[in-house]
Amino acid sequence: MKNLMLQILKDEVKPATGCTEPVAVALAVAKAKEIMNEQLGKMVDPDNCKLTVSVSPNLFKNGLGVGIPNCSKRGLHVASALGLFACCAADGLKVFENMPEVKVNQAVAYMDAQGLGLNLLDTPDKIRVEVILSHETDSLKLVLSGTHDRVTSAVFNGKEVVSQEASADCGGLDKTAFFEMDIKSLVETIAEMPTEELAFLNDGLVMNSKMAEAGMKPNMGMGVGYGIKQCIESGDMCHDLVNRAMCLTAAASDARMSGLNMTVMSSNGSGNNGLTAILPLAAYFEANEVSVDDQLRALAMSHLLNCYVKERIGRLSAMCSCAISAATGSGAAIAWLMTKKPEHVMHTIQNMTGNLAGMICDGAKEGCALKLATGAAAGVQAALLAKHGVVMPAANGIVGRTTEESIAHLGILSQKGMQLTDGVILGMMKDML
């Protein structure tokens, strides 16, 4: 089980530059271009290509209005053009990191000249991108699905050249045993994991803290992190763990959602999830002496609980996973650091379920900083309350009789109860385009 957990961490905790929904679109187009070049044995001229991109509703919603690093334009339309002109598929989730300015300008010109459209797929898949790339008499159709960086199909001139089973599991890894664990066993197993192989998680602590620092400047995104910082310095808000967690997490989101060209450590396919899973812990580490081993185990616990809850609610959903799963993960990890008692971890999850269940996701944007701040604060508060014996009673609203039942209820609420909500949210966002 420890080996499985380590492999899940390596699959799900990855550096990403920019919002992962535009990244997925650009990556799919860049991969389509790469495969076409391989099949033709030459480099095709992007200006002589015709490009059609279609995406799943949830991916459309999350990538509609977010900033893109190294580009003044926003959203999925320009991400498609950037994938054709400026991105290299080998960069994975970091496709936006090293785009030459001349290529970016060519991509924007192509988008404007072609009137590049974006089609909405009628699919239950949360993450799905379909690319049709044509050059003279040759055509390639590529499908990316399941995760933000997994190509599952490519057909060139009617011949299948890439084929993988579409699955939410990266690389076909069977995670069933992990998702069937009870929370107590999960926590106890993580607490005993050797930390040598967890050292890479510290990279996320460093890079996400740098993003938070960058977001503390005025006029960055919505300015939530900077605003909280000003409130603390003026005495309008206390300088405590809750507000410091809010400040760091919001500031990082401000910077990231504005399109700042800096890499963050993502968690379960989301950069904002990565910020929320890590930065409340960074605030705790600042205020308390924590051994390196315990820091690494807490980071692992936060990421793995984020993954555990998102398996139920979906990688993309009508719920704000930053608050529902990532903040639950970081709050639970803080509870473990304070007491080392699995029951306090479970009580934190119960408190979070009773508090934030139902917070909607209305796409990636500057305003996410407020939701991340709310989630980060609620997670820390839930842990502190659990430490002092305050816990949501069993069978209280949707809070289950066990922690596992509460998480299952979150899944039912997301997958069944909020499907109509998701469509209504998308409709309102489309009406404002």
Side-chain angles (χ1 to χ4, degrees):
M1 183 56 68
K2 291 175 185 175
N3 289 336
L4 176 59
M5 287 180 171
L6 179 62
Q7 190 57 52
I8 291 172
L9 286 168
K10 289 180 177 178
D11 279 348
E12 298 287 8
V13 182
K14 298 178 180 180
T17 306
C19 177
T20 47
E21 278 68 53
V23 163
V25 169
L27 179 58
V29 175
K31 189 64 179 178
K33 178 182 64 176
E34 177 187 280
I35 294 173
M36 177 167 279
N37 288 341
E38 290 172 353
Q39 294 296 316
L40 294 176
K42 65 178 182 180
M43 303 289 287
V44 299
D45 180 2
D47 276 314
N48 292 329
C49 289
K50 181 180 179 182
L51 177 65
T52 303
V53 178
S54 305
V55 299
S56 54
N58 282 85
L59 197 145
F60 180 88
K61 179 184 73 174
N62 269 35
L64 192 59
V66 70
I68 293 176
N70 293 313
C71 182
S72 61
K73 302 289 186 178
R74 291 174 172 266
L76 300 177
H77 295 79
V78 71
S80 302
L82 290 169
L84 184 59
F85 281 84
C87 297
C88 175
D91 290 335
L93 296 179
K94 298 165 71 176
V95 289
F96 292 142
E97 187 175 45
N98 297 306
M99 298 187 298
E101 184 178 358
V102 63
K103 297 290 186 182
V104 172
N105 292 337
Q106 288 172 356
V108 172
Y110 174 89
M111 179 183 70
D112 292 339
Q114 298 289 332
L116 191 61
L118 194 75
N119 300 318
L120 201 58
L121 294 168
D122 182 10
T123 175
D125 293 347
K126 301 300 182 183
I127 300 174
R128 188 176 181 89
V129 182
E130 296 185 2
V131 176
I132 299 176
L133 182 63
S134 302
H135 180 262
E136 297 178 349
T137 60
D138 299 295
S139 179
L140 183 138
K141 180 178 180 180
L142 178 142
V143 177
L144 179 150
S145 65
T147 67
H148 292 79
D149 59 353
R150 187 159 187 252
V151 174
T152 52
S153 171
V155 177
F156 178 72
N157 289 342
K159 178 185 176 183
E160 193 166 62
V161 292
V162 174
S163 177
Q164 293 188 53
E165 181 182 354
S167 168
D169 290 336
C170 297
L173 178 66
D174 185 358
K175 303 175 186 174
T176 305
F178 171 73
F179 293 125
E180 289 179 348
M181 289 184 79
D182 61 85
I183 298 297
K184 184 174 185 293
S185 298
L186 187 153
V187 171
E188 290 173 342
T189 303
I190 296 171
E192 295 174 356
M193 289 180 73
T195 56
E196 294 82 4
E197 294 187 273
L198 297 177
F200 74 97
L201 296 178
N202 189 61
D203 295 342
L205 182 64
V206 172
M207 64 179 67
N208 288 10
S209 295
K210 287 182 178 178
M211 183 66 90
E213 182 181 352
M216 294 291 182
K217 299 180 178 67
N219 304 316
M220 185 67 75
M222 187 177 167
V224 179
Y226 177 76
I228 294 172
K229 177 174 176 283
Q230 294 293 97
C231 288
I232 292 172
E233 290 177 350
S234 69
D236 291 334
M237 295 173 69
C238 295
H239 192 316
D240 59 13
L241 178 59
V242 171
N243 290 333
R244 181 58 176 165
M246 288 177 64
C247 186
L248 288 176
T249 311
S253 180
D254 283 323
R256 182 170 178 269
M257 292 293 94
S258 69
L260 186 67
N261 184 28
M262 289 179 66
T263 299
V264 302
M265 189 67 84
S266 69
S267 185
N268 205 246
S270 166
N272 275 357
N273 273 206
L275 300 181
T276 317
I278 292 172
L279 290 172
L281 285 167
Y284 186 88
F285 299 156
E286 285 179 4
N288 300 273
E289 289 188 12
V290 181
S291 70
V292 173
D293 285 350
D294 279 352
Q295 286 189 25
L296 292 172
R297 291 189 179 110
L299 288 166
M301 191 175 299
S302 183
H303 287 299
L304 287 168
L305 284 170
N306 180 42
C307 184
Y308 190 97
V309 176
K310 281 189 77 173
E311 171 68 11
R312 273 68 175 183
I313 69 172
R315 281 183 177 257
L316 297 178
S317 71
M319 284 187 179
C320 174
S321 64
C322 296
I324 304 302
S325 56
T328 294
S330 56
I334 288 171
W336 177 78
L337 285 169
M338 290 191 295
T339 69
K340 299 296 177 67
K341 294 181 179 180
E343 59 265 32
H344 288 160
V345 172
M346 294 186 285
H347 291 166
T348 300
I349 296 171
Q350 295 288 76
N351 288 343
M352 286 293 281
T353 303
N355 187 8
L356 294 187
M359 180 187 282
I360 65 164
C361 170
D362 52 348
K365 59 200 177 305
E366 287 94 338
C368 286
L370 279 172
K371 294 189 180 185
L372 267 66
T374 297
V380 176
Q381 291 166 345
L384 292 169
L385 290 171
K387 176 186 176 183
H388 290 281
V390 180
V391 58
M392 284 288 292
N396 198 270
I398 71 163
V399 175
R401 292 158 293 187
T402 65
T403 308
E404 293 77 20
E405 188 174 49
S406 289
I407 295 171
H409 286 171
L410 288 173
I412 294 168
L413 179 62
S414 176
Q415 303 283 7
K416 295 183 178 180
M418 297 185 73
Q419 290 303 303
L420 178 60
T421 300
D422 217 12
V424 171
I425 292 168
L426 182 59
M428 287 189 285
M429 292 173 67
K430 288 169 67 178
D431 286 344
M432 291 187 288
L433 283 176

